[in-house]
Amino acid sequence: MAWFSKKPRIAVDPEPVAEPQPSRMQGLWAKCESCDEIIYRQELEKNWMVCPHCDHHHAWTARSRLAATLDPDSFEEFDKELEPLDPLGFSDTKKYKDRLKSTRKNLDENDAFISGVGRIEGHQVSVGCFLFEFMGGSMGSVVGEKVTRVFERAYELKCPALVFSASGGARMQEGIFSLMQMAKTSAAIARFRNSGKPYVSVMLNPTTGGVAASFSWLGDVILAEPHALIGFAGPRVIEQTIRQKLPEGFQRSEFLLDHGMIDAIIHRKDLRMKLGQLLGLLG
């Protein structure tokens, strides 16, 4: 029989491949970034996201930090409705407005900073905290406005100001508008100083760029977490610029403490107590 007279074969649909089901154990364990130990995630969270084996401080969400630092049910959030715009119509591999939209949807936060008023061991404080998970904690117009309002609110209430900084610097998608926030926040601090109340700056890992170069370094008391990266430009950029090898641990909080750039390094579990003591003495 000629090949052209053969009956065509009936095509058989391949069996559908079952999609892999998520493991019931997924997300229950975490690996320490420093010592590589496997830790039960619930144990890590109960320990303030600090490794029980090597004391490494892992990233901690802003709202968890505020809840652990402030007195229970004392925090009142302000300025939550403020949302960043796209004044330059910026676009790189993705439109800035689309990045904002997707990030807001994923995190359920409007921008990279939370601000409000709370109490620490009974002492009223105007407080703000960066969300590093929101575009690297970058400072745009809204973040700068909310930081400014932390100091304006502290001035009006005649209470201390407290800011937790964790940022990659100014937000490039807003150009000069983001750089203006360095002067704006610094001017707000200058006015706040007339109240005679202290400003406590707590630097987290990392605190860099325009945030480090403005209000983060202007605290009356500057604290930091262990082994936090703090500085303006990154070590690699500095080495390429000055063409010299930097010292070991350069820009880490321990190095900065040894050279008088910060006042103290506070373990995360001791921070609430130390802040309460500071506010009692200075507030």
Side-chain angles (χ1 to χ4, degrees):
M1 181 182 293
W3 64 269
F4 49 81
S5 63
K6 291 181 180 179
K7 293 182 180 180
R9 294 182 180 180
I10 299 174
V12 179
D13 294 332
E15 294 184 3
V17 179
E19 294 184 3
Q21 296 295 320
S23 171
R24 293 169 56 187
M25 305 298 288
Q26 187 174 356
L28 292 179
W29 303 92
K31 185 177 181 180
C32 178
E33 300 169 359
S34 179
C35 66
D36 293 335
E37 286 286 341
I38 304 299
I39 313 163
Y40 188 40
R41 181 169 290 278
Q42 192 173 19
E43 178 186 357
L44 187 63
E45 292 172 353
K46 286 182 179 179
N47 200 42
W48 303 280
M49 294 300 291
V50 176
C51 177
H53 302 283
C54 68
D55 233 22
H56 176 72
H57 285 50
H58 291 258
W60 205 15
T61 64
R63 294 196 180 273
S64 297
R65 185 183 301 277
L66 290 174
T69 305
L70 301 174
D71 294 348
D73 301 321
S74 70
F75 181 62
E76 181 182 1
E77 186 173 356
F78 290 92
D79 311 319
K80 188 175 182 179
E81 72 285 356
L82 297 182
E83 296 183 1
L85 300 176
D86 184 13
L88 304 179
F90 190 93
S91 178
D92 44 29
T93 57
K94 189 176 181 180
K95 291 182 179 180
Y96 177 43
K97 63 181 180 181
D98 292 338
R99 289 186 189 276
L100 289 173
K101 183 178 179 180
S102 61
T103 306
R104 283 200 294 259
K105 182 179 179 180
N106 293 336
L107 297 178
D108 195 25
E109 300 285 355
N110 282 337
D111 212 334
F113 193 78
I114 301 172
S115 60
V117 174
R119 293 185 176 275
I120 299 178
E121 296 192 352
H123 304 286
Q124 188 180 38
V125 60
S126 179
V127 61
C129 185
F130 274 82
L131 294 96
F132 188 78
E133 57 270 27
F134 195 108
M135 297 185 70
S138 52
M139 180 172 64
S141 300
V142 167
V143 171
E145 174 65 19
K146 294 178 79 169
V147 172
T148 298
R149 292 189 185 187
V150 167
F151 298 106
E152 290 179 343
R153 199 171 291 120
Y155 180 83
E156 294 169 0
L157 297 174
K158 297 294 186 290
C159 70
L162 169 64
V163 176
F164 295 93
S165 299
S167 174
R171 188 171 296 174
M172 69 173 187
Q173 290 89 345
E174 296 186 23
I176 191 63
F177 295 99
S178 64
L179 295 178
M180 288 168 60
Q181 307 311 310
M182 298 171 64
K184 180 178 178 177
T185 53
S186 299
I189 294 174
R191 179 173 181 265
F192 166 70
R193 295 203 190 282
N194 294 328
S195 69
K197 296 296 181 177
Y199 160 39
V200 181
S201 175
V202 183
M203 295 187 174
L204 312 174
N205 181 47
T207 300
T208 58
V211 171
S214 55
F215 60 88
S216 288
W217 280 118
L218 297 178
D220 298 298
V221 179
I222 302 176
L223 308 177
E225 285 192 337
H227 208 59
L229 176 66
I230 302 169
F232 181 63
R236 185 179 63 180
V237 174
I238 297 174
E239 284 186 339
Q240 291 175 348
T241 303
I242 66 175
R243 298 180 182 179
Q244 293 182 22
K245 185 69 177 175
L246 296 173
E248 184 70 25
F250 180 75
Q251 290 186 327
R252 294 292 175 177
S253 50
E254 291 78 7
F255 183 92
L256 298 176
L257 179 63
D258 290 341
H259 291 77
M261 297 295 290
I262 61 177
D263 296 302
I265 297 174
I266 308 296
H267 193 284
R268 192 173 286 172
K269 67 180 181 181
D270 299 325
L271 186 59
R272 171 182 162 81
M273 178 189 67
K274 295 294 184 182
L275 287 173
Q277 292 175 349
L278 274 173
L279 297 177
L281 291 171
L282 305 176

